[in-house]
Amino acid sequence: MFLSGQVLPQDDYWRHLASALGRDYSSLYFDSYVPKVNLWVGYERVLGLLGEKAYIVLQSGTLLCFALAFYIGARGSPPNLRNAMFVLLIVILQGRIATSRPAVVLSSLFALLWVLDRRAWRVSLSFVFPPVYWLFFIYLIPLLLKEKLVVIPLIFGFVFWAFYGGESYFYEVFHIIETSMQKSLPVAENMPIWNVLLSKSFFAFVPLLLLFHYYGLKALSFDKKSVIGIFYFSLSNQIRYFVDNASFLLLTLVRFLKKDIPQVVVFALLPLLFVSTPKTQIISGDLSLLTNKKVLVADFSEINFMLAYKVKDIKLSPPMEIEWASKEVKALIREVKYEGRVDCELLKKTSAEVLVEKDIKGRPPECLKLIGLLGEYRLWQVIY
């Protein structure tokens, strides 16, 4: 599926690609806070080398790392049960793998390093984390449980960012953590862990939770490090770290089981891979209407990120982190999405020239003139 290139990334990948090909974030976003240092410099260098189809390499490589990590970590478990758990792991992760985000790519590498017993591999590959992702330490700290020498790439990471970003990096770390806790507008990957109950892949989590319930104490006796790892990645109370990391660690507990299951169960689970296949959104419409315009997208979703790459010289709001948008932009998004209306005075305070939305109900206000459509989205010229 991923090798075919048919599962397009749906969010941050596109703005990363725009940046990799020369678009500066400070010129891409308006009415927004933008970090003074590129926090994804290594990842975007890779995208620049690989080009638009880089996602095929990233998705396939991420899937391969998770697969290798799982089968190494679950070795010794009953074969049919192991295969069934692997299917469930992919059902849970394939939506995340499809995003090709740096955090997901590194989660797969973390999983592989967690189960590898070779010191040289574990330490050397840990040096990949810091340049790729500004929150590299989230992954390297738990790896210290497996290999103390990982402290070397951990220290290297802080030295790298101190030289590359200076004090701006350390300011951004605290600033982003602070703003991400505000949650004035819901963002899927920052949702609390219990929101897994509402996800379409919840059915795949049920065996994981039962597995941990029945074998958690036994695992604690034989593999304290994995249990600590599960607890560690749950501390953030964010779906992204729980899904990407804790689910892998949970599933490897299958190695404590001795009784196998019928092979027919494995085949019965295979259709789930297609039920949960990520849906690809294609933008259809006249994108030239947005060229060299200040465009406010009243929907923090895939279209925001795709426009960053697809439209030449566009200026967008909100930016890559919703909490970095101005208070006027956030207030307008809330109005449009949850009330189905637009306050013209508030809209004009944002300096937007075009409004993109799909939620306005009833007759539009006088400050808006319909100029086109992009799939289900309407494009409105803002009349000042």
Side-chain angles (χ1 to χ4, degrees):
M1 178 179 63
F2 291 124
L3 283 173
S4 70
Q6 295 179 356
V7 183
L8 296 177
Q10 291 294 288
D11 45 31
D12 287 270
Y13 173 84
W14 298 105
R15 59 96 175 172
H16 282 305
L17 186 58
S19 173
L21 299 179
R23 190 71 194 271
D24 187 80
Y25 285 127
S26 61
S27 68
L28 178 58
Y29 297 109
F30 72 97
D31 277 356
S32 307
Y33 172 82
V34 177
K36 298 178 178 63
V37 57
N38 186 344
L39 301 173
W40 311 270
V41 58
Y43 174 77
E44 292 180 356
R45 290 287 177 86
V46 172
L47 294 189
L49 292 172
L50 297 177
E52 181 176 336
K53 299 295 185 180
Y55 68 89
I56 300 175
V57 177
L58 296 176
Q59 290 172 348
S60 303
T62 301
L63 177 61
L64 178 62
C65 278
F66 272 125
L68 287 173
F70 177 76
Y71 277 99
I72 294 173
R75 62 184 179 273
S77 57
N80 292 333
L81 185 60
R82 181 171 64 242
N83 293 335
M85 289 298 174
F86 177 68
V87 172
L88 292 179
L89 178 67
I90 300 307
V91 169
I92 291 168
L93 291 176
Q94 64 181 353
R96 297 287 297 161
I97 292 172
T99 67
S100 304
R101 289 177 178 169
V104 182
V105 175
L106 291 186
S107 289
S108 70
L109 181 57
F110 165 82
L112 187 57
L113 296 187
W114 184 266
V115 299
L116 279 179
D117 292 329
R118 308 242 176 153
R119 169 178 287 180
W121 282 102
R122 190 173 275 153
V123 175
S124 58
L125 288 176
S126 292
F127 281 94
V128 172
F129 288 75
V132 170
Y133 189 44
W134 62 283
L135 288 176
F136 66 94
F137 50 86
I138 287 179
Y139 305 95
L140 296 188
I141 288 174
L143 279 177
L144 289 171
L145 292 170
K146 291 286 191 173
E147 176 53 63
K148 293 179 180 178
L149 287 180
V150 170
V151 72
I152 299 173
L154 180 63
I155 294 172
F156 162 77
F158 288 113
V159 172
F160 168 84
W161 282 104
F163 275 95
Y164 175 75
E167 62 181 17
S168 294
Y169 165 73
F170 297 98
Y171 169 79
E172 299 298 350
V173 169
F174 291 105
H175 175 260
I176 295 171
I177 292 174
E178 178 186 5
T179 54
S180 66
M181 294 175 65
Q182 294 174 7
K183 299 180 181 178
S184 61
L185 286 165
V187 178
E189 67 171 14
N190 292 338
M191 290 291 188
I193 289 173
W194 52 80
N195 276 58
V196 168
L197 299 174
L198 305 176
S199 70
K200 65 181 181 180
S201 59
F202 170 66
F203 61 84
F205 275 97
V206 174
L208 270 69
L209 298 176
L210 291 175
L211 184 69
F212 187 67
H213 174 71
Y214 287 112
Y215 294 91
L217 291 177
K218 188 173 182 180
L220 187 58
S221 300
F222 291 98
D223 189 3
K224 294 182 177 66
K225 294 176 182 179
S226 287
V227 176
I228 292 171
I230 294 167
F231 177 72
Y232 170 84
F233 284 111
S234 301
L235 282 176
S236 68
N237 194 27
Q238 292 187 8
I239 279 183
R240 56 176 160 178
Y241 295 119
F242 181 78
V243 170
D244 296 353
N245 303 101
S247 62
F248 165 78
L249 295 174
L250 271 169
L251 275 171
T252 57
L253 298 183
V254 72
R255 66 188 181 277
F256 293 109
L257 300 179
K258 300 302 179 186
K259 188 175 181 180
D260 208 353
I261 59 175
Q263 192 174 46
V264 67
V265 176
V266 182
F267 289 111
L269 291 174
L270 290 177
L272 298 180
L273 293 171
F274 301 96
V275 172
S276 58
T277 299
K279 300 297 187 293
T280 297
Q281 178 180 354
I282 304 296
I283 297 179
S284 58
D286 186 2
L287 296 177
S288 65
L289 295 169
L290 305 178
T291 300
N292 203 28
K293 300 288 186 183
K294 288 185 176 181
V295 180
L296 196 160
V297 182
D299 186 22
F300 193 64
S301 64
E302 295 87 350
I303 190 171
N304 187 313
F305 301 99
M306 283 192 166
L307 291 177
Y309 173 70
K310 298 287 186 181
V311 183
K312 182 179 180 181
D313 296 327
I314 193 174
K315 287 184 176 290
L316 284 165
S317 194
M320 66 285 275
E321 294 283 346
I322 190 67
E323 296 300 339
W324 295 351
S326 68
K327 61 181 181 180
E328 291 81 11
V329 169
K330 288 187 285 189
L332 187 79
I333 293 175
R334 279 193 296 269
E335 274 191 355
V336 174
K337 283 197 68 63
Y338 304 117
E339 300 175 29
R341 67 183 185 87
V342 172
D343 182 331
C344 286
E345 292 302 314
L346 179 61
L347 176 58
K348 291 176 181 179
K349 289 180 181 178
T350 67
S351 74
E353 297 173 289
V354 178
L355 175 68
V356 178
E357 59 76 39
K358 61 177 181 178
D359 297 298
I360 294 178
K361 299 177 178 63
R363 187 175 181 178
E366 295 182 356
C367 62
L368 295 180
K369 177 184 177 182
L370 187 65
I371 58 172
L373 298 171
L374 285 180
E376 62 182 332
Y377 290 91
R378 291 167 290 212
L379 309 183
W380 303 92
Q381 179 184 352
V382 181
I383 310 298
Y384 285 86

